[in-house]
Amino acid sequence: MGVSAERGLSLAQARAAWAHYGDGGLPSSPEPSAWSLLAAQFKDFTVLALLGAAGVLACLGNFTDAAAIGAILAVNAALATTQELKAQRLLRALRQRSRPQVRVVRAGERRQIDPSQLVPGDILLLQAGEQVPADARLLEAVDLQTDESSLTGESLPVAKGSGAALQAGLPPGTPLAERINMVYAGSAVVRGRARALVVATGAHTEMGSVWKAVRQARQQYTPLQEQLLRLGHRLLRLSLLAGGVVFLLGVLRRQPLLLMVMTGLSMAVAAVPEGLPAIITVGLSMGVQRLVRRQAVVQHLGAVETLGRANLLCSDKTGTLTINRMKVRAVLPAQEILPPEPDRGQAQGTGPGAEDAGSGGNPPLPGFAAQTGARRLTTIIAALCNNAPADPDPTEQALVEHARQEGLDVERLRTLFSRRAEIPFDSMRSRMSVVVQLSPRPAQATTEQILLCKGAPDVIVGLSTSYWDGEAPRLLTDSQRQALLRYVDEVASQGLRVLAAGFRPLSGQGQSGESSAPGLSAALLLAGGGDPYGPAAGSDAQLEANLCLAGFVALADPPRPEARESLEHCHRNGVRVLMITGDQLPTSVAIARELRLAPGGADPEALLAPELDALDDDAALRRLQRVHVVARATPRHKLRIVRLMKRAGYILALTGDGANDAPALKAADVGIAMGRAGTDVSRAASSLVLADDNFSTIVHALEEGRLIRDNLNRSLGYLVSGNLGELLAVTGAVLLGWPAPLLPIHLLLVNLFTDALPAIALARTPPAEALQPPARVGVGDFQMTPRNWLRSALLGGTTLALYRSGMDASPAAAQSMALASLVGTQLLSALDWRAEGRPPLRRWLRKDAFFLAMLGGSAAGLAAVLHWPPLQRFFQTTPLSFSQWAGVGAAAAGSSLLARLAGRESLRPDRQVFKAHRGRRRRAPACANPRPPAHP
């Protein structure tokens, strides 16, 4: 394409390419328009039935009733559409906010741009943990592996290369899964780094082709929507049964057939809360807005409700419970921990190539080691085996900053020791290695290649066969290894993180270009013109064997000041916290002890993750239910812990930041990714992204989830108990042989005044002072309680009583009193639902103007229907006298008082009336500490 790999496109070329190719971002599913959302409101069976009934009425000349039904359905549809549009705009803004930037080279400079600005010809920079934003041909690759499962279905990462043989391209027709010189949009970089030339963007990528093929696919329901759909079906069956009974009784009593048909259909609508989808959308979107203000970005709306049921939080340590600002506290040379023994000679053969150095002799030592003390050598290795400042990792940054504070010129060091190859850090390996080449001096005939390695102390010490005493390597015995690890444990027990640093001379590259170490990995043949990006199997282990240990670096990452209070808040509210970290056990326990991770200030119990490998699932689960810290954990351990704890019945939230954490994040009920330190892959796999990587933000999110679950349960309880009360009133009147207490348009009017505005206001309720305990049942698994049944019975009974008392005046007056009773009692009931579990009424009335406005709007609508002549004629009502209004008020107040006296258990599913969702998880086995999840 004529693009320089070093300079990339010029700014003018990039603008011209973008004008030609358009948006470079991956295509997304088209958002429904306002008209399509409005049309979707009329696809429900009950709404269609009412529209059909309105059509029948119009054909029979009853235009008033037909228009009334159409107008009420239109208002309900408009309210629901408005709320869905608001939620849609909110989610669009959140997606833009959390959209990761991509790194490119343009005009010779590294830049960060939005994926939509990518164009063919751009030079793309990739590293582990990022998602590939476009199809691109590899120009350079270092130990690169990508996850292409979204395109090929291949579950294992694919090794990629960019050698000279691949630059000319692969044969035509090569399957996508075998194109190892290409990376594709939508895949994830799980290891290594690369520089690539963008060849296709947006809809022109392979992922774009897949998107075009499935763009018309039917949208799937979320778990919450499926639960609510099941609840709606159960209520619909109940209402149709009652409607059928009313219809048959009316026909037997020679009531007008059309009237009984309309009454039966209206009863179906009265029992089913058709405004429920809008109410759920309002509750979730309001919670999402509050979470944004608390630095938490929700990527899946339904995840907010799941958070409300979480009772186990598996959290990382670094950056989540700690501030993630590392600082070097001490450099500990191995020679000072293990003084050299006079009776031991220097090490014989510290690596490949030693055999060629002459029998009985030492391998050629790199100049920087031969002339550098062990303390300074450890500092140099930590600074060179490092990708800072490009890598934002706080540990990497702290190591480079310490080297500068020690008077080292890091940039000059990196010039003197030029990097020739890299084995990136991997959580499974717990180490990082680089191969550097010492620039030759004028008098030298050879250049020196050195492997530098840093990582977890137990790993580096295990790979070391010698240690540096300041002048030469000395043999490292098993007893010395154990002594070193004991010393490291003592340091780590003080809350310090310890890294080990080692090195190994590899080869001398002579003028002839022949390597003096023929057994080296292909990754070291760069100087000889070979391909460094296709190492043989097992080459990493071969390269990193027989290290010479230089020393240790102790760093501190203090706990976040607010983390202890947040943990105590979790303990008080029934959320167990389990720290899962890749750090060393003593360091992790020290931080857990300082944070009081165990409830009641007890000493935290810890477990080494590798110990889980020797246990079967039942034994591992028993251990996990007792511990508070799991140390030295890899992503594989995380995934197993998630599966075991979910099997035990926990509703689990998990934090993660690495690319390899993605499977565990997806497996958790709620995956929580880090917004700063996290990778693109982990963010894409999560349901929630923390903008500040702060544990207290997770606790705020849990609180918000509880509030949303609480609010939705209030709204749902209010809706179902009210609608069942309407059903009881109409059914009771027919069973008693009375005329129907409400006309069909009256039932629809009641739903408008009571189901729409007050229920939406309940879903928007602001936070309470006291947090509700966790619940194992979801909103969609709502179950009626005795108190809710009492509310329904009181609503139906008082309506029937007022209707009977008004029959002495006139049928119109009786129906008007029944209408006023249903609406007035439910509005007062909404106040009860709003105040339940809250501070006294006077403390929140001034803070919740929206709720009062919704109640006032419904009350004003009722008054207008009863007292404004145009609406009186339209809805066939009559004005009520003062005494009649007094009767309505007394009935509503009495119902509210009796419901309050019945107790405050309406939010708890004490008794199952509607069949709960099948396939609920098994209850967790009991454990002593901390307490297992339990039904509230």
Side-chain angles (χ1 to χ4, degrees):
M1 301 178 70
V3 179
S4 168
E6 299 300 325
R7 295 192 56 80
L9 295 173
S10 67
L11 298 183
Q13 287 175 321
R15 284 193 294 268
W18 192 86
H20 177 73
Y21 292 104
D23 193 324
L26 284 173
S28 57
S29 299
E31 294 180 347
S33 64
W35 289 110
S36 62
L37 289 174
L38 181 61
Q41 309 304 322
F42 294 93
K43 294 180 179 179
D44 186 78
F45 169 75
T46 54
V47 175
L48 290 175
L50 282 171
L51 286 174
V56 172
L57 286 172
C59 293
L60 295 175
N62 192 348
F63 296 106
T64 300
D65 286 354
I69 293 173
I72 292 173
L73 291 178
V75 171
N76 272 331
L79 286 172
T81 301
T82 301
Q83 296 302 326
E84 290 192 28
L85 284 173
K86 288 182 179 179
Q88 184 174 288
R89 286 195 296 269
L90 173 64
L91 289 177
R92 188 191 313 127
L94 292 178
R95 281 194 295 267
Q96 287 297 120
R97 173 172 176 172
S98 61
R99 194 173 186 175
Q101 300 287 290
V102 297
R103 295 176 299 123
V104 298
V105 176
R106 282 186 180 173
E109 297 180 357
R110 295 190 176 194
R111 302 169 182 264
Q112 285 193 333
I113 64 172
D114 190 89
S116 63
Q117 301 300 314
L118 270 178
V119 295
D122 266 324
I123 302 301
L124 184 64
L125 303 177
L126 298 170
Q127 64 182 18
E130 293 181 342
Q131 282 192 307
V132 181
D135 291 357
R137 183 184 296 274
L138 293 171
L139 302 176
E140 299 175 10
V142 177
D143 200 20
L144 185 68
Q145 293 183 4
T146 63
D147 177 3
E148 297 179 348
S149 57
S150 57
L151 280 172
T152 64
E154 175 60 51
S155 60
L156 297 177
V158 180
K160 299 288 184 174
S162 63
L166 297 174
Q167 293 298 326
L170 296 169
T174 302
L176 187 146
E178 299 176 11
R179 300 174 193 173
I180 61 174
N181 64 339
M182 293 285 295
V183 289
Y184 293 98
S187 61
V189 181
V190 297
R191 183 174 178 178
R193 54 189 173 87
R195 182 184 294 250
L197 174 68
V198 175
V199 297
T201 60
H204 303 288
T205 62
E206 294 289 341
M207 182 62 74
S209 301
V210 175
W211 173 80
K212 290 177 184 177
V214 300
R215 62 184 301 180
Q216 301 300 327
R218 185 176 180 180
Q219 185 177 5
Q220 298 296 316
Y221 287 112
T222 65
L224 178 59
Q225 288 173 325
E226 290 178 349
Q227 292 172 0
L228 294 173
L229 191 60
R230 285 192 295 269
L231 174 63
H233 286 166
R234 291 194 293 269
L235 291 171
L236 180 59
R237 287 194 295 269
L238 178 63
S239 63
L240 288 177
L241 176 62
V245 171
V246 169
F247 174 78
L248 290 175
L249 289 176
V251 170
L252 291 175
R253 290 170 181 169
R254 302 181 184 277
Q255 296 288 335
L257 182 62
L258 183 59
L259 176 62
M260 298 316 299
V261 170
M262 291 298 301
T263 301
L265 289 174
S266 299
M267 288 178 63
V269 175
V272 179
E274 65 272 7
L276 187 58
I279 293 162
I280 296 296
T281 301
V282 169
L284 294 179
S285 60
M286 289 301 299
V288 167
Q289 288 178 353
R290 287 191 290 264
L291 283 174
V292 168
R293 292 193 290 269
R294 289 183 165 185
Q295 302 298 307
V297 179
V298 178
Q299 302 197 114
H300 306 294
L301 209 57
V304 183
E305 187 266 345
T306 307
L307 266 175
R309 295 184 282 133
N311 49 24
L312 174 62
L313 173 57
C314 298
S315 174
D316 285 329
K317 177 181 71 68
T318 304
T320 307
L321 292 169
T322 61
I323 63 175
N324 204 20
R325 285 200 300 270
M326 304 294 292
K327 184 176 181 181
V328 174
R329 294 298 177 86
V331 176
L332 310 167
Q335 71 170 112
E336 294 185 8
I337 303 172
L338 297 174
E341 300 178 28
D343 58 337
R344 286 192 176 274
Q346 294 179 337
Q348 303 295 318
T350 59
E355 300 86 349
D356 301 331
S359 60
N362 292 311
L365 295 175
F368 85 118
Q371 301 175 14
T372 305
R375 186 183 305 276
R376 195 169 184 85
L377 175 60
T378 303
T379 302
I380 291 174
I381 293 174
L384 290 178
C385 188
N386 195 310
N387 286 324
D391 188 345
D393 183 83
T395 300
E396 302 288 80
Q397 301 281 351
L399 294 173
V400 171
E401 180 61 28
H402 174 72
R404 292 194 175 105
Q405 292 174 356
E406 291 295 309
L408 294 172
D409 187 337
V410 177
E411 286 71 24
R412 184 173 179 275
L413 272 175
R414 290 178 174 177
T415 301
L416 181 62
F417 298 95
S418 58
R419 184 178 296 190
R420 311 307 289 164
E422 174 185 345
I423 307 175
F425 175 84
D426 184 275
S427 56
M428 301 296 292
R429 300 170 56 254
S430 298
R431 61 188 183 273
M432 170 188 179
S433 297
V434 297
V435 177
V436 297
Q437 182 170 297
L438 180 61
S439 300
R441 301 188 181 103
Q444 278 186 315
T446 62
T447 57
E448 297 166 343
Q449 288 182 340
I450 313 157
L451 176 85
L452 309 179
C453 185
K454 78 172 192 302
D458 55 337
V459 174
I460 303 301
V461 171
L463 293 172
S464 298
T465 55
S466 62
Y467 70 95
W468 186 252
D469 72 351
E471 297 180 354
R474 292 190 174 271
L475 290 175
L476 187 63
T477 65
D478 289 340
S479 61
Q480 289 175 323
R481 288 190 183 90
Q482 295 172 5
L484 288 170
L485 293 178
R486 284 196 299 270
Y487 183 86
V488 167
D489 288 344
E490 292 176 5
V491 174
S493 66
Q494 304 172 27
L496 299 177
R497 183 184 182 190
V498 184
L499 296 176
F503 71 96
R504 173 185 167 195
L506 291 173
S507 67
Q509 182 68 36
Q511 292 177 344
S512 65
E514 296 179 357
S515 172
S516 62
L520 293 180
S521 163
L524 297 179
L525 299 183
L526 180 63
D531 179 5
Y533 306 120
S539 59
D540 290 357
Q542 181 185 3
L543 282 170
E544 295 168 333
N546 302 322
L547 296 178
C548 180
L549 178 67
F552 305 91
V553 181
L555 305 96
D557 180 17
R560 291 183 180 271
E562 66 277 13
R564 178 185 291 183
E565 181 181 353
S566 297
L567 285 168
E568 291 176 354
H569 194 72
C570 287
H571 297 154
R572 287 196 303 268
N573 290 284
V575 179
R576 178 188 172 193
V577 181
L578 177 64
M579 180 197 293
I580 305 177
T581 175
D583 216 338
Q584 303 163 66
L585 183 63
T587 305
S588 306
V589 172
I591 294 294
R593 186 179 296 114
E594 186 173 354
L595 288 171
R596 296 182 181 175
L597 184 65
D603 198 45
E605 187 174 344
L607 169 70
L608 277 171
E611 295 178 15
L612 291 175
D613 297 334
L615 301 176
D616 61 25
D617 287 352
D618 291 335
L621 181 58
R622 286 193 293 270
R623 288 294 305 275
L624 289 171
Q625 297 217 37
R626 294 196 302 269
V627 303
H628 310 96
V629 178
V630 180
R632 307 300 293 145
T634 66
R636 176 175 56 84
H637 293 123
K638 271 190 177 183
L639 180 58
R640 188 184 182 201
I641 291 171
V642 167
R643 289 173 174 169
L644 288 174
M645 301 308 274
K646 285 181 65 176
R647 193 190 74 177
Y650 286 92
I651 310 295
L652 183 146
L654 171 85
T655 69
D657 53 14
N660 290 335
D661 288 335
L665 288 169
K666 286 184 178 180
D669 293 292
V670 180
I672 304 174
M674 303 296 110
R676 293 180 180 175
T679 61
D680 295 344
V681 178
S682 64
R683 285 191 287 267
S686 66
S687 305
L688 189 74
V689 178
L690 302 183
D692 58 359
D693 294 8
N694 196 332
F695 181 81
S696 64
T697 303
I698 303 176
V699 178
H700 290 322
L702 288 170
E703 289 179 347
E704 198 62 53
R706 299 278 182 86
L707 171 66
I708 291 167
R709 186 261 306 172
D710 186 18
N711 285 346
L712 293 180
N713 272 330
R714 291 173 192 275
S715 297
L716 192 55
Y718 166 76
L719 285 172
V720 174
S721 60
N723 288 2
L724 288 179
E726 299 168 22
L727 197 63
L728 290 173
V730 177
T731 306
V734 174
L735 291 175
L736 291 171
W738 301 343
L742 295 170
L743 297 176
I745 56 173
H746 293 162
L747 289 172
L748 294 173
L749 196 62
V750 169
N751 274 12
L752 175 63
F753 287 152
T754 62
D755 284 10
L757 302 182
I760 288 175
L762 282 172
R764 288 172 52 106
T765 302
E769 291 185 357
L771 194 62
Q772 291 289 329
R776 285 166 53 85
V777 294
V779 171
D781 292 320
F782 175 81
Q783 299 162 358
M784 287 284 284
T785 65
R787 188 179 179 192
N788 288 339
W789 278 117
L790 177 62
R791 290 182 189 274
S792 299
L794 289 171
L795 177 62
T798 54
T799 299
L800 285 175
L802 288 172
Y803 173 65
R804 181 65 187 86
S805 67
M807 290 175 65
D808 296 335
S810 68
Q815 288 179 340
S816 297
M817 290 188 69
L819 174 63
S821 174
L822 281 176
V823 175
T825 303
Q826 290 194 68
L827 292 182
L828 198 57
S829 175
L831 280 173
D832 293 341
W833 283 97
R834 173 62 178 82
E836 190 159 333
R838 305 277 167 168
L841 194 66
R842 63 180 183 275
R843 293 176 58 181
W844 59 260
L845 279 178
R846 291 172 292 178
K847 299 180 181 179
D848 200 352
F850 180 82
F851 180 80
L852 296 179
M854 293 296 99
L855 290 189
S858 294
L862 174 64
V865 166
L866 293 176
H867 292 278
W868 190 30
L871 291 181
Q872 287 176 2
R873 292 190 297 271
F874 190 80
F875 289 104
Q876 304 177 37
T877 60
T878 185
L880 301 182
S881 64
F882 177 79
S883 61
Q884 289 173 326
W885 273 116
V888 170
S895 297
S896 175
L897 180 61
L898 287 174
R900 284 176 175 269
L901 292 177
R904 296 182 177 274
E905 85 297 338
S906 58
L907 291 182
R908 299 198 303 268
D910 293 332
R911 179 176 298 176
Q912 179 176 339
V913 176
F914 301 115
K915 186 182 297 183
H917 172 45
R918 294 185 182 274
R920 300 299 302 171
R921 295 172 186 159
R922 293 189 292 114
R923 184 183 179 94
C927 60
N929 186 25
R931 59 185 177 184
H935 288 281

